[in-house]
Amino acid sequence: MVLLLAAGVAGVACGGGGSNTQNAEFRLMNAIPGETSLTVTINSLAFMSAVTYGTVSNYNFVTFGTNTLEITGPDLISGGTTTLFDNSVFLSQSTTYTALADNYPQNIGVTLYVDDNSAPAAGKFNLRIINSAPGLGKVDAYVVTPGASLTGVEPTVPGLAFQAASTYLSKPIGTYEVIFTLAGQKMPYIDSGPVAFAAGQVRTFVGLNGMTGGYTDAVLMDLN
């Protein structure tokens, strides 16, 4: 499930802490090219800092319900900080979220993804794929043996739109290559190179615009 939020009014709620049976679990990824470091507060309480581009914070517990999410970053003109996002976000009880902050088409926004960090089947890992590269638009995603040709190969996840996420793919353990092409084409625009996956792991692969052009990617460690 994906929930899109735009910058706007703030909400109310109490701060986090406690067990996952009582609260939501939340982390934030910096997917805003040009923003080198993000600081996050929830309900005016410090939550995470120094989230650099292409990285994700640790999971933290937050009281379920409506919370005020504020994201700030460096102000290059004043040398201080500037508020990039200030909005209310509803988090369900006993639910785990990954939030991606991005700036497409113009305003800073946050996309919430509901995570499933349940244990994979024996001898397998689970992989989710997110398209957070606005420069590519809709993509075909391939999960293949490293070095394999894409000729004649059907996409693992066809037609993945910007800000969309795949379902969790259950795959045998091993080394794979994740490739993004434009939908219906075969030329790679994002290529992870060989990535090793072990039994019991849950991972999220995110395709991103590059900081200074081109494209890049990140593999998020969700479980184990």
Side-chain angles (χ1 to χ4, degrees):
M1 181 176 75
V2 176
L3 174 64
L4 301 180
L5 303 172
V9 299
V12 294
C14 297
S19 69
N20 201 25
T21 59
Q22 299 295 323
N23 298 287
E25 206 169 0
F26 181 91
R27 65 179 180 174
L28 184 129
M29 180 178 186
N30 180 356
I32 309 174
E35 290 296 336
T36 57
S37 181
L38 299 181
T39 297
V40 180
T41 60
I42 294 183
N43 306 315
S44 300
L45 299 174
F47 188 73
M48 56 192 73
S49 62
V51 183
T52 58
Y53 183 68
T55 69
V56 68
S57 71
N58 294 326
Y59 283 113
N60 284 290
F61 291 116
V62 180
T63 301
F64 68 90
T66 303
N67 292 268
T68 302
L69 174 63
E70 183 179 5
I71 302 172
T72 61
D75 187 327
L76 300 181
I77 297 176
S78 69
T81 61
T82 184
T83 299
L84 303 171
F85 181 90
D86 187 357
N87 204 344
S88 58
V89 54
F90 183 86
L91 304 176
S92 297
Q93 185 175 8
S94 303
T95 304
T96 304
Y97 296 92
T98 295
L100 264 66
D102 61 51
N103 63 341
Y104 182 82
Q106 291 180 338
N107 297 326
I108 302 296
V110 170
T111 307
L112 276 183
Y113 300 88
V114 176
D115 300 345
D116 180 1
N117 288 338
S118 54
K124 295 190 175 184
F125 71 96
N126 292 343
L127 177 67
R128 174 178 57 175
I129 299 174
I130 295 177
N131 176 8
S132 194
L136 291 179
K138 189 176 290 187
V139 302
D140 290 339
Y142 296 81
V143 182
V144 295
T145 302
S149 170
L150 301 184
T151 302
V153 176
E154 292 295 320
T156 310
V157 182
L160 189 66
F162 172 62
Q163 295 181 326
S166 72
T167 60
Y168 284 85
L169 311 172
S170 177
K171 306 286 291 183
I173 62 172
T175 300
Y176 293 85
E177 193 169 0
V178 183
I179 298 172
F180 278 14
T181 71
L182 299 183
Q185 301 184 26
K186 295 294 184 181
M187 188 178 88
Y189 279 82
I190 293 177
D191 188 336
S192 69
V195 181
F197 298 96
Q201 291 181 337
V202 179
R203 296 291 184 264
T204 295
F205 179 91
V206 184
L208 298 159
N209 275 17
M211 281 282 283
T212 57
Y215 303 96
T216 187
D217 60 78
V219 179
L220 311 186
M221 295 186 293
D222 304 354
L223 180 69
N224 295 330

